[in-house]
């Protein structure tokens, strides 16, 4: 069972219901909203792992909804897929030009949609892990440098040890994972 949570923004009740049912069968948690305004209210209380949005909706269309979502820093990395009946080339260019992660037209094929969702979720998880790794490394470096500031002689020691260890490890043919582990150890 997947733990990922999908937000569906779709004004057509039958499309929303069939999409919800299909995604729940696939193991996803699903929350729905009939338009962008209602979806924004939901986003005040939770952060989905991915957003699927129609474009043609009352009150707030998908393009405007996308722009408001992307303006919120905590939502900038949430994958966003337009799932719409608007299949004209100009519509696709606008959607992709805004920066949507994908643009899928109705009628969608379940397997195609599932592959797109899985791919976008996997990429989002990879990005989150890389960011966490970077922040963890930076935090360790700051802490080590704070300790070093007590003594002018040792200032910059952490960076030098990391640099020397990395150069030696590269010459020895270490893998990228081994180099990353070595950097943490050197700090």
């Amino acid at each position: 069972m997947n733990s990922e949570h999908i937000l569906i923004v779709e004004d057509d009740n039958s499309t929303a219901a069939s999409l919800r049912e299909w995604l729940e069968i696939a193991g996803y948690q699903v929350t729905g909203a009939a338009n962008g305004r209602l979806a924004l209210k939901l986003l005040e209380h939770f952060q989905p792992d991915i957003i699927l949005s129609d474009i043609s909706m009352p009150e707030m269309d998908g393009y405007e909804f996308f722009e408001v979502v992307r303006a919120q820093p905590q939502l900038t990395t949430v994958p966003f897929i337009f799932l719409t009946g608007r299949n004209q080339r100009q519509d696709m260019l606008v959607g992709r030009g805004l920066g949507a992660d994908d643009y899928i037209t109705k009628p969608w094929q379940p397997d195609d949609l599932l592959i797109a969702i899985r791919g976008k979720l996997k990429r989002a998880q990879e990005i989150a892990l890389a960011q966490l790794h970077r922040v963890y490394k930076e935090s360790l470096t700051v802490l080590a440098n704070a300790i070093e500031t007590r003594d002018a002689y040792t200032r910059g020691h952490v960076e030098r040890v990391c640099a020397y260890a990395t150069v030696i490890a590269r010459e020895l043919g270490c893998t990228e994972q081994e180099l990353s582990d070595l950097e943490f150890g050197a700090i």
Side-chain angles (χ1 to χ4, degrees):
M1 187 84 166
N2 296 320
S3 61
E4 292 94 358
H5 198 148
I6 298 174
L7 174 61
I8 299 172
V9 187
E10 170 64 62
D11 64 323
D12 181 73
N13 291 336
S14 63
T15 301
S18 64
L19 191 55
R20 173 190 289 273
E21 181 180 345
W22 181 77
L23 289 170
E24 287 175 345
I25 288 170
Y28 294 101
Q29 296 176 46
V30 179
T31 299
N35 62 57
R37 291 212 191 287
L38 294 173
L40 290 174
K41 291 281 187 205
L42 291 171
L43 291 173
E44 292 174 5
H45 304 287
F46 87 105
Q47 181 172 325
D49 295 296
I50 192 166
I51 298 171
L52 304 178
S53 178
D54 192 6
I55 294 173
S56 300
M57 297 180 289
E59 296 189 43
M60 177 184 278
D61 72 13
Y63 294 143
E64 184 181 355
F65 172 61
F66 175 84
E67 289 177 332
V68 173
V69 166
R70 284 298 187 247
Q72 298 180 37
Q74 73 275 17
L75 298 174
T76 57
T77 60
V78 174
F80 193 108
I81 298 175
F82 282 121
L83 183 60
T84 181
R86 295 173 93 172
N87 60 4
Q88 298 298 311
R89 178 169 161 66
Q90 183 59 33
D91 293 319
M92 291 179 194
L93 291 174
V94 169
R96 290 183 176 135
L98 287 172
D101 295 284
D102 212 338
Y103 190 104
I104 299 173
T105 57
K106 298 172 187 172
W108 43 271
Q109 296 298 314
D111 290 340
D112 293 342
L113 182 58
L114 189 56
I115 287 169
I117 289 170
R118 286 180 180 154
K120 303 307 178 228
L121 288 170
K122 182 176 186 240
R123 181 68 182 139
Q125 291 166 350
E126 290 168 350
I127 290 169
L129 185 59
Q131 289 173 337
L132 182 63
H133 187 267
R134 181 184 51 79
V135 168
Y136 183 60
K137 182 179 170 186
E138 289 172 0
S139 298
L140 279 177
T141 302
V142 166
L143 181 58
N145 285 335
I147 293 169
E148 284 182 356
T149 59
R150 292 179 169 174
D151 182 2
Y153 175 74
T154 61
R155 191 166 291 129
H157 179 73
V158 169
E159 285 83 4
R160 288 190 303 274
V161 169
C162 281
Y164 293 142
T166 302
V167 168
I168 292 169
R170 283 190 197 285
E171 286 296 317
L172 292 173
C174 290
T175 66
E176 288 301 315
Q177 182 60 52
E178 290 170 330
L179 286 170
S180 178
D181 293 344
L182 182 66
E183 284 182 295
F184 281 104
I187 293 170

